Amino acid sequence: MPLPEDVAVLVEDVHKSFDDVHALRGISFSAPRGTVLGILGPNGAGKTTTVKVLSTLIKPDTGRAIVAGHDVTTDAAAVRRSIMMTGQYAALDDTLSGRENIELFGRLMGLDKKAAKTRANALLEEFDLADTGKRPVRGYSGGMRRRIDIACGLVVRPQVVFLDEPTTGLDPRSRQGVWSLVQALKAQGITVLLTTQYLEEADVLSDNIIVIDRGTVIAEGTSDELKARTGGSYCEVVPMDPSQLLLVADALGELLPAANRSDLGPDAVRLSVPAPGGASTLSEILRRIDSAGIDLADIALRRPSLDDVFLTLTGHSHPGDERVPAAASTGPDLS
Ligand SMILES: Nc1ncnc2c1ncn2[C@@H]1O[C@H](COP(=O)(O)OP(=O)(O)O)[C@@H](O)[C@H]1O
Ligand SMILES: [Mg+2]
């Protein structure tokens, strides 16, 4: 079947099992060329397995996967020439500088000495690493390493880049660095598949998001669409005296849906109020509580977290906890 020109990645009903663990159970999605697709899901959802199938590191049991126009099963070599995966070349040489690592990698990919140098310079410039690139890799922060690692993979310009949880374990500043890198890739027309456990990350970077759980796609859309399904922003209100919760509820009037009110158990200490207007809803809530003369211990505007998304989509907040068999959750961490 011919594939539309503008589709960079197409996955159709892919299954993959490891013995009795069904890692992928009929996963399907697509990513248009030049876009960032966020793949969101908890530990064990099947993110890494999906990325490994698409980058030809493992074969699907059944189903079809096309990357940059090539079938991963029948044309794996062509797929490999069109992609880049982080961590694949994680063996950066600690004694060499970032620049030398990129040059070395260029030589390994068949560039001559001059071309490798030119390419390394361009990449370091592009990713704002020109100065740091001179120092040995051994002194780099985790975030810097990851950027050099990604730069190595860009020596030969790929059509599709897979980033598997590129910011897990990084501090916020390094995370920011990886984010701007993803934006730079997109600006060059490269298609990026980014797996993450953080809704915020998918939110900032992705054109489209798929949420996967237990090896299938359980929701897809833009981040706004997903948030709308999750109920959008809400305001959390904590009165100084928990026994005043019902007074707070009264003061809020129509701002508090009946369902949220009836959720209040005897031990409740906080109230969640939908805040469709964001900060302006927050200030209206504050105004009403203030005129009722109630003291607050805390009030905050919250956006839905990944947990909220899962709670809404699956009805339970920690899908990973229930995964059978036990061996699956104690198995090697492949992320
Ligand atoms: N090589 C393997 N052998 C056995 N089980 C595996 C293997 N790779 C992944 N799994 C299992 O498949 C499921 C999906 O794993 P994975 O794709 O790594 O999830 P994620 O990256 O979303 O955390 C998990 O239950 C995991 O334990
Ligand atoms: Mg993983």
Side-chain angles (χ1 to χ4, degrees), residues 47-48 164-165 334-335:
K47 302 182 296 294
T48 298
D164 193 11
E165 299 199 23
L334 298 156
S335 58

Side-chain angles (χ1 to χ4, degrees), residues 18 20-23 25 44 214 318-330:
F18 301 100
D20 58 348
V21 180
H22 302 298
R25 312 175 188 225
R214 299 162 194 259
H318 297 287
D321 292 349
E322 295 163 33
R323 196 152 284 104
V324 279
S329 52
T330 54

Side-chain angles (χ1 to χ4, degrees), residues 168-217:
T168 295
L170 295 184
D171 61 76
R173 215 178 129 236
S174 311
R175 185 167 289 182
Q176 204 67 48
V178 173
W179 288 6
S180 37
L181 205 153
V182 173
Q183 274 147 351
L185 295 179
K186 188 189 159 184
Q188 295 182 14
I190 295 173
T191 309
V192 181
L193 265 66
L194 167 88
T195 79
T196 179
Q197 296 192 44
Y198 309 114
L199 181 62
E200 192 205 352
E201 181 160 304
D203 191 3
V204 172
L205 298 174
S206 311
D207 297 297
N208 276 298
I209 296 173
I210 58 172
V211 181
I212 71 175
D213 189 23
R214 299 162 194 259
T216 59
V217 174

Side-chain angles (χ1 to χ4, degrees), residues 81-101:
R81 281 195 297 274
S82 320
I83 63 167
M84 178 246 151
M85 194 185 166
T86 38
Q88 199 172 354
Y89 314 110
L92 294 180
D93 188 329
D94 262 8
T95 62
L96 299 180
S97 68
R99 175 185 307 274
E100 288 162 338
N101 267 287

